[in-house]
Amino acid sequence: MKVCILTAGIGERMGSFTSKTNKVLLPYQNKAIISHIIEQFPAECEFVIALGHQGHHIQQYLRLAHPLINFNFINIKNYNQPGSGPGQSLLQCQKELSEPFYAVCGDTLWNPSLENIQPTSFNWLGVSPLTDDEKTSSYCTVTLDKHSFIHQIYEKSKESPTRLAFNGLLFINDHKSFFQNLASKPKEGSEHQLSQGFLPFLDKKDLKANQMKSWLDLGQQRKYIAANKSCPQFAFRKENEHFYEVNHRIIKYFSDKKLSCDRVKRQKFLSRVTPEIMDFTDHFYCYQKVPGEVFYDKATPALFSHLLHWLNKNLWQTPLKNEVIDFKAHCLNFYKKKTNRRVYLFHKKYPHKNLQRLLAVLDTINWSWLSEGIACPFHGDLQFDNIIAQENTFTLIDWRQDFDGLLYVGDIYYDLAKLKLGLDIDLRRLKMSAHLQQNISPASPQINDPQKYQAILKQFCQDNNLSYKKVSLISYLNLINMAPLHSEKLALYFWNLGLHQLEAFLNTQGPCKTISP
């Protein structure tokens, strides 16, 4: 049995969420929407994918996420022009659908255990009741006779007498009649509506309603956000980067293919401490899910001490690939100039939030001293969620792509500052607070007994002739740098906390321009 998944549209109802990629690749419960659709059908089905907006992203994702499935990709012409739509997409897939088939819109999900979507000797449409806040003018609605055959179709009508809507899933048994009617020329300026192919079935009583109670419409930004409230990672989402877990693989997506390419290159250099990349494309890479537990779940002071010594031996003290020229200038760019860019990015998104107060604080920092880094191999995002603890060892995931353009060398202080940030703020608990829409307390959620961990980190710095003050300052600057990358609630939290910690640091250390290690 063939299944045609309609993905060509640009996803206007999703707003900025689809500015970088197609809506079927948006994560839901840690999988792309299209993976959920595929898994709702029997394994023996063949899939025809109608491609349009960012279609190459979809091809690349499916190659990595579902390598055992053969997909037939159809590039839809003029998918973003007047007259385009799901009907036009199906017409262009007609040659591949010369038998009874399913078709499904790329934003339609349901619970397979609650619905019967078996092929039948008649045609059927999946229908579901609209909620009170949904308008019939946004949907194709239908009326039924007493035998559940569809009696009348209303195409996005304000005057519709019914609130029973076509939910995006259909089964066509009489494919010849369907395509013959769908090919009829639509009214000038209008698109090929799917309903155009259904109309002749109404008089013949050959279009039944498959009434489904578990319909989940992910095609509107409001509904997509609501559906993801149960996912802690959603609060930390980035529109240009996505994470998926499917078929025991971890898949990372980047809208900027240079970032993806650089991460692939860096993994080869970091092979002692990171999982091997199984496959990659321009915008994606994947690796086998790493067994073990994130450090937050295993954390003890003794294990943290072991982690620091493991990092020192297996990462920071490994030989450099090339000699670094003027590393201090790279550090100055990474710490000072990047911070200034992020500050003004934040102010552009959320103006008048203590900008002058923060600029005054930043002006007291001795950037020359701060930029005296120590060049070494680095991870770049050593938060505890990115450290998988295994028996007597660790694996590091989600490494940063570069350090001011340097692929193989970064500053040990940056890695240490990320670790300190994990001690000062339990980011996992913060994610939970954010996704539950609770008020985030000014007192940061912390790992249990943070002072014990901080003492271990401070002792490690002393034993290795490193400045704990520098680690602390970079950690607080990290909060400011994180702020503009997140949604408003978390952005303001990181900004205010970073400002508070920088001011507290100044009060205890004195002016940073004269600070000593």
Side-chain angles (χ1 to χ4, degrees):
M1 184 64 63
K2 289 190 175 182
V3 178
C4 185
I5 304 179
L6 305 172
T7 75
I10 60 176
E12 287 181 315
R13 296 185 302 163
M14 296 299 289
S16 63
F17 281 42
T18 51
S19 62
K20 302 294 185 182
T21 194
N22 191 287
K23 66 181 176 182
V24 301
L25 295 181
L26 293 175
Y28 171 64
Q29 296 181 347
N30 289 339
K31 292 181 183 179
I33 293 172
I34 195 169
S35 282
H36 287 283
I37 293 175
I38 290 168
E39 292 173 359
Q40 290 173 142
F41 289 97
E44 63 272 14
C45 286
E46 300 177 43
F47 291 91
V48 177
I49 312 296
L51 298 176
H53 176 60
Q54 302 288 12
H56 61 297
H57 289 182
I58 298 172
Q59 286 182 280
Q60 291 179 17
Y61 170 81
L62 292 176
R63 168 185 148 186
L64 300 186
H66 302 279
L68 300 181
I69 297 178
N70 290 321
F71 295 97
N72 192 340
F73 296 105
I74 306 297
N75 291 305
I76 304 302
K77 299 176 182 178
N78 302 320
Y79 67 87
N80 57 353
Q81 300 299 316
S84 63
Q88 182 61 245
S89 291
L90 266 182
L91 271 177
Q92 294 187 40
C93 295
Q94 180 177 358
K95 290 183 179 180
E96 303 301 327
L97 302 173
S98 57
E99 60 185 73
F101 67 92
Y102 294 96
V104 58
C105 296
D107 50 25
T108 297
L109 295 184
W110 63 92
N111 186 335
S113 65
L114 299 179
E115 312 291 358
N116 179 10
I117 63 164
Q118 295 299 313
T120 57
S121 59
F122 50 85
N123 311 289
W124 57 256
L125 298 186
V127 298
S128 301
L130 295 176
T131 58
D132 292 340
D133 61 340
E134 292 169 328
K135 298 178 180 179
T136 58
S137 57
S138 298
Y139 294 88
C140 172
T141 53
V142 300
T143 56
L144 311 181
D145 67 16
K146 61 182 180 180
H147 300 294
S148 293
F149 284 101
I150 294 176
H151 177 259
Q152 187 69 42
I153 297 176
Y154 300 84
E155 192 63 59
K156 298 181 179 179
S157 171
K158 293 181 180 179
E159 285 75 36
S160 173
T162 175
R163 296 188 61 77
L164 196 61
F166 169 49
N167 60 27
L169 174 65
L170 58 93
F171 174 76
I172 298 297
N173 183 63
D174 185 357
H175 55 93
K176 291 182 180 179
S177 297
F178 173 78
F179 281 116
Q180 182 179 353
N181 291 291
L182 187 62
S184 301
K185 189 175 180 179
K187 294 180 181 179
E188 186 175 352
S190 64
E191 66 180 60
H192 271 95
Q193 297 289 355
L194 285 174
S195 57
Q196 193 171 319
F198 305 145
L199 293 177
F201 297 146
L202 301 184
D203 292 337
K204 296 190 295 182
K205 298 286 184 181
D206 195 22
L207 185 63
K208 204 160 189 177
N210 185 346
Q211 301 193 54
M212 303 169 65
K213 297 181 179 179
S214 64
W215 175 37
L216 180 60
D217 177 11
L218 296 180
Q220 297 183 42
Q221 189 179 92
R222 170 181 60 86
K223 291 186 175 183
Y224 175 69
I225 292 173
N228 276 285
K229 282 185 177 180
S230 61
C231 179
Q233 291 85 352
F234 190 72
F236 276 56
R237 69 191 181 278
K238 298 177 183 178
E239 292 179 2
N240 61 347
E241 179 180 332
H242 296 313
F243 160 92
Y244 314 98
E245 182 180 334
V246 56
N247 292 328
H248 307 292
R249 292 182 171 195
I250 301 300
I251 302 174
K252 291 284 294 187
Y253 158 79
F254 300 87
S255 63
D256 184 343
K257 60 185 179 182
K258 186 179 185 305
L259 298 186
S260 181
C261 179
D262 287 347
R263 288 204 179 196
V264 171
K265 291 177 181 178
R266 274 184 35 78
Q267 189 281 322
K268 295 177 182 178
F269 183 64
L270 298 173
S271 59
R272 293 181 63 184
V273 296
T274 58
E276 180 182 3
I277 289 179
M278 302 168 61
D279 200 355
F280 62 92
T281 66
D282 287 349
H283 294 272
F284 298 84
Y285 64 80
C286 71
Y287 56 85
Q288 200 74 21
K289 184 178 180 182
V290 178
E293 299 180 73
V294 296
F295 190 82
Y296 276 123
D297 291 329
K298 297 281 287 184
T300 64
L303 189 63
F304 182 60
S305 179
H306 178 47
L307 171 64
L308 288 171
H309 288 90
W310 181 88
L311 288 167
N312 206 31
K313 176 183 177 182
N314 293 284
L315 178 61
W316 299 324
Q317 289 188 358
T318 54
L320 297 179
K321 186 166 184 175
N322 297 300
E323 182 181 357
V324 184
I325 300 174
D326 202 0
F327 186 61
K328 184 174 180 178
H330 284 288
C331 290
L332 185 64
N333 285 335
F334 192 77
Y335 294 132
K336 183 178 182 180
K337 293 184 179 180
K338 180 166 73 74
T339 297
N340 286 336
R341 290 194 300 270
R342 294 285 176 85
V343 166
Y344 285 101
L345 176 60
F346 178 90
H347 183 62
K348 184 178 179 180
K349 295 174 70 174
Y350 313 111
H352 313 303
K353 297 292 183 181
N354 297 323
L355 176 64
Q356 296 304 318
R357 181 177 158 194
L358 177 64
L359 292 177
V361 171
L362 296 179
D363 190 52
T364 68
I365 294 175
N366 184 342
W367 294 100
S368 178
W369 165 76
L370 189 67
S371 300
E372 293 171 352
I374 297 177
C376 67
F378 76 112
H379 178 273
D381 195 10
L382 276 180
Q383 57 165 302
F384 292 154
D385 274 346
N386 291 338
I387 302 171
I388 307 299
Q390 300 151 311
E391 187 174 356
N392 298 320
T393 191
F394 305 90
T395 299
L396 310 180
I397 61 173
D398 212 10
W399 51 95
R400 185 180 170 84
Q401 62 275 359
D402 67 7
F403 184 89
D404 189 46
L406 300 174
L407 292 185
Y408 306 112
V409 177
D411 186 7
I412 190 173
Y413 282 109
Y414 190 66
D415 272 354
L416 290 168
K418 285 283 188 172
L419 288 173
K420 186 178 187 304
L421 182 61
L423 303 180
D424 294 339
I425 307 174
D426 187 333
L427 291 173
R428 185 176 59 174
R429 289 171 59 193
L430 189 64
K431 291 176 186 179
M432 293 297 294
S433 297
H435 97 84
L436 290 174
Q437 301 300 305
Q438 298 169 347
N439 292 325
I440 302 177
S441 168
S444 306
Q446 291 183 316
I447 198 168
N448 291 333
D449 297 321
Q451 293 82 6
K452 291 183 180 179
Y453 294 86
Q454 291 162 356
I456 292 169
L457 181 58
K458 189 172 185 178
Q459 186 63 52
F460 175 85
C461 290
Q462 292 176 355
D463 293 344
N464 290 276
N465 297 315
L466 299 167
S467 169
Y468 186 71
K469 294 178 181 178
K470 191 176 291 187
V471 171
S472 299
L473 181 54
I474 295 173
S475 177
Y476 307 146
L477 287 172
N478 274 336
L479 289 167
I480 300 298
N481 278 267
M482 290 165 62
L485 305 181
H486 295 283
S487 57
E488 184 174 5
K489 188 176 183 180
L490 279 173
L492 296 177
Y493 176 81
F494 287 136
W495 175 274
N496 290 325
L497 182 61
L499 177 57
H500 170 77
Q501 291 190 330
L502 283 170
E503 289 178 331
F505 180 81
L506 285 175
N507 289 336
T508 57
Q509 301 297 328
C512 285
K513 284 188 178 294
T514 59
I515 200 168
S516 61

